[in-house]
Amino acid sequence: MSNANLLEVLRGKGVVDTESPDALTLELLTGGFWNRVYRLRSKENLSLDWVVKQFVQVPVNPMFPILPKAEHAALQFLRDHECAPTPIAFIADSPIDSLLVYAYVPGTSWNGDLDAAATLIARVQDIAINTFAKNTFRKLPSDALALQTHAEGMLKRHPGALSDSVRELRPAVLARKDYPKRRDVLVHTDCGPGNMVSSPNGLRLIDWQCPGIGDGIQDVVTFLSPAMQTLYGYPVLTAEQEQRFLGAYVSALADNASDAQETLAWFHSIRSSHHYRFAAYCAMRAQDTATSDAKTSRLYSLALQAEIQILHSLRLMGRA
């Protein structure tokens, strides 16, 4: 697809006006795993500084599906909350697939500020779910059995030694009836450091392509996940960094000490099932790409080993 094709669609849909062809520039951005993302700017209108996301059609990803309408809805839901980009336009159907346009967030990838990351996640989760959100976003698995069942579905795609080695670390699921009542929140689901932008106006979460309604702890474990840190090119967080992040998160989210303790208790009781699911996903992706993309396969293999290490650590601490 040429830049001219993309601009032609945007003009045809009335997203951009009839500025001279030389006035608009498109720059292909890097960093995404799946979709093509461009920065659109105008030499005549300096306020026009947008991102154009072109969604690609790929096999359904069981962990991180590409949901264009849901991403647009998430940006609408989060508008004016200063935690995500501002939506400009959405084109559901075009000759070049779905297109999402939103305001460009100037800045750099996450700069390592754990307090800012934890506070941002808490701020998103503090936004009350309304009727629009309930009727728009998918419902996510949140209890241990549902998470592990999802993991098993991914492991079944590639029967063999690697999948079996992950199964050996499956956490025990106790027959409990006292799971705490968790408030439903909007969950990013792909809440890794690569999807956080350190802007002049504060940290922002981008790439809301697979949001859902569920337990906010999912985004907490996702951010802390050794696999996610590895996949985005960051070092695995230390135990001290993890504690700092969790302290900032519960301080920003909890109304009182009792709420904070309950949140931390739930985190420690459910996190091993989330990590198990991440390990299953990494094993699946490493095998999916083994013959077609050796570099990606090696990356997911490294992420898998990082996730296996934390599962071993949790088991030794009696938390798996």
Side-chain angles (χ1 to χ4, degrees):
M1 183 204 71
S2 70
N3 289 0
N5 295 141
L6 195 155
L7 290 174
E8 181 181 353
V9 171
L10 294 177
R11 285 195 177 95
K13 296 293 184 178
V15 178
V16 295
D17 58 25
T18 55
E19 295 181 83
S20 63
D22 293 336
L24 295 173
T25 62
L26 273 174
E27 173 192 358
L28 181 64
L29 302 178
T30 60
F33 277 91
W34 302 104
N35 305 298
R36 294 177 68 85
V37 182
Y38 301 85
R39 185 177 181 182
L40 175 63
R41 284 180 280 186
S42 169
K43 298 174 184 177
E44 298 175 355
N45 178 7
L46 297 182
S47 65
L48 194 160
D49 191 356
W50 298 342
V51 168
V52 181
K53 187 171 186 176
Q54 180 193 15
F55 294 90
V56 299
Q57 296 186 12
V58 297
V60 175
N61 185 308
M63 189 80 165
F64 304 109
I66 296 175
L67 306 171
K69 292 181 180 178
E71 178 163 5
H72 180 232
L75 297 189
Q76 290 179 301
F77 177 73
L78 296 168
R79 184 192 290 270
D80 302 326
H81 287 283
E82 299 183 345
C83 53
T86 300
I88 303 296
F90 177 62
I91 301 171
D93 298 300
S94 84
I96 53 175
D97 298 317
S98 299
L99 299 173
L100 175 64
V101 184
Y102 56 84
Y104 178 75
V105 179
T108 60
S109 295
W110 179 62
N111 61 10
D113 188 334
L114 292 165
D115 290 357
T119 301
L120 175 61
I121 293 173
R123 282 175 45 222
V124 171
Q125 296 176 11
D126 197 44
I127 302 170
I129 296 300
N130 56 20
T131 301
F132 169 79
K134 288 180 181 179
N135 295 335
T136 301
F137 301 112
R138 63 191 174 124
K139 182 67 176 176
L140 300 169
S142 57
D143 63 79
L145 181 58
L147 292 168
Q148 293 183 25
T149 299
H150 191 199
E152 183 59 30
M154 290 185 279
L155 292 173
K156 285 181 178 178
R157 284 175 54 158
H158 297 282
L162 185 61
S163 293
D164 288 343
S165 69
V166 175
R167 285 193 185 94
E168 291 176 359
L169 295 170
R170 180 168 180 161
V173 178
L174 301 179
R176 292 179 51 185
K177 297 182 179 180
D178 61 339
Y179 283 115
K181 178 66 176 178
R182 300 286 297 168
R183 181 174 65 87
D184 279 343
V185 300
L186 180 65
V187 182
H188 185 284
T189 77
D190 192 8
C191 192
N195 284 333
M196 291 184 176
V197 175
S198 300
S199 79
N201 297 316
L203 202 59
R204 297 291 185 267
L205 258 174
I206 62 171
D207 284 351
W208 288 82
Q209 73 173 32
C210 45
I213 298 294
D215 180 9
I217 289 298
Q218 178 171 340
D219 274 348
V220 173
V221 180
T222 298
F223 182 83
L224 295 175
S225 161
M228 291 297 283
Q229 296 288 335
T230 299
L231 288 171
Y232 282 110
Y234 286 80
V236 174
L237 297 176
T238 65
E240 291 77 15
Q241 288 175 314
E242 180 180 291
Q243 290 305 309
R244 182 184 180 101
F245 176 91
L246 288 172
Y249 170 73
V250 296
S251 294
L253 188 67
D255 293 328
N256 53 57
S258 177
D259 288 344
Q261 289 304 312
E262 183 177 288
T263 297
L264 286 174
W266 173 242
F267 165 79
H268 288 301
S269 70
I270 195 67
R271 71 173 302 184
S272 58
S273 293
H274 281 287
H275 287 298
Y276 178 71
R277 186 170 66 147
F278 269 115
Y281 174 71
C282 291
M284 180 196 75
R285 290 288 296 141
Q287 294 171 100
D288 282 348
T289 56
T291 57
S292 61
D293 188 343
K295 182 178 179 180
T296 296
S297 183
R298 285 194 298 271
L299 178 60
Y300 276 100
S301 295
L302 287 173
L304 171 60
Q305 293 308 311
E307 209 67 21
I308 283 176
Q309 287 182 16
I310 197 168
L311 283 168
H312 276 300
S313 297
L314 292 172
R315 177 168 289 187
L316 289 173
M317 292 187 291
R319 292 176 173 171

